[in-house]
Amino acid sequence: MKKCNISFLFILLFFSFNFFAEEAKKWTIAAEAFSYESVQSDENISDGISKTLPLIILEKLDANIVRNVYPDENFDRIQFDLKKERMSLFLQLSGLVKTRDSLVLYDYSDSELKRKQKEQDKKINEVKKKIDENLQKLAESEKQFELEAKKIVEGNYENDNKSDFFKFVDMLKHFFSSKDNLYSKEDINFYNNDRAFLYKVPENLKGKPYNSKEFENAMVSANINTLLTGSVTQIGNYYSITVDMYLYPSGKKIASISDVGTTFDFDSICSNMARQLIPIISNSLPVELFVNIQNEDILVSEVDFFIDDILQKNFADGTVIQSGVHYVQFTCPGYNSLSTSYFFEGNKKYVIDILLEKTEEE
């Protein structure tokens, strides 16, 4: 292997190791049977399609997807837990106040009544203190969320004429910058640990909006982070398929994808839908790529830069791609090509310095 190739590959492959990886939490995805609308279809056929389509989509999803949990999603979780705690504390408070007020109905002596009221007031104050602490946590979490969200959207990167070594060091510092700690990563998990298992909506939830409090509570209780729902409309031999995705807690709709085809197209339609859902599930952010050609005798226009075998035009001005694994390749007449596969993490800027080596003459 040529020296320049080793240098190029070393830099990219070095970053591919997650030295400080922690055991990832699980982010659970579930799907329910799709609704079906048709005036001519057999009930058994419609029921089969309603259940088969979501299962095919789940099957097409890569089990190795990692969910990036950013401040807004984490804040929704904190809000939900704190609100649930406050509601429970309020019920306790209500019961304690009623108990205290009812003490006068009993035949207690004045001293005994005061003692019991004092005991009850102590319990009431303890609950009130917990509610106040809960509200304080909420205020602190909201303030922290605003700070983290601001940092996430900031994209201040340096670009100067430092040597290759110091550019590498800068990339290293950026790769392990404090911004990386502003979001966590969670491995994708399928409901019931089985992608061939559909979530069955309880009878008391049927007809309830997916963003309703009742549905939200049910999803959180079932440890479901996102639910795939859908609808199928049949007209003749053609089917219109729509898939919606809801995030919990919060009940936000984070995706809605539609397509049309026949039964012969179901597999490809589901593959395309899964492909469109993956970046939404992973919650990926765009990546900025900048390429510097180090060879002084080569014009940038003479170098072809490919990402996933697609030629990138005007790449000298920067290229924006989605995060994930991409195959990158550089070619130039009279020079050895450079190529590698690398996982580009979202919300980052990568500067790739290329020094091409001339081909050896035979």
Side-chain angles (χ1 to χ4, degrees), residues 67-100:
R67 172 75 176 183
N68 293 319
V69 180
Y70 292 98
D72 58 339
E73 185 174 344
N74 190 52
F75 182 56
D76 284 339
R77 297 179 183 182
I78 293 174
Q79 275 189 311
F80 181 88
D81 291 338
L82 289 175
K83 183 177 181 180
K84 184 178 180 180
E85 182 185 52
R86 286 198 306 277
M87 296 300 293
S88 176
L89 290 171
F90 185 79
L91 290 176
Q92 293 178 44
L93 180 63
S94 176
L96 290 171
V97 170
K98 289 179 180 178
T99 299
R100 183 195 61 185

Side-chain angles (χ1 to χ4, degrees), residues 139 155 210 259 275 338:
Y210 292 106
D259 207 339
R275 192 176 299 112
L338 292 174

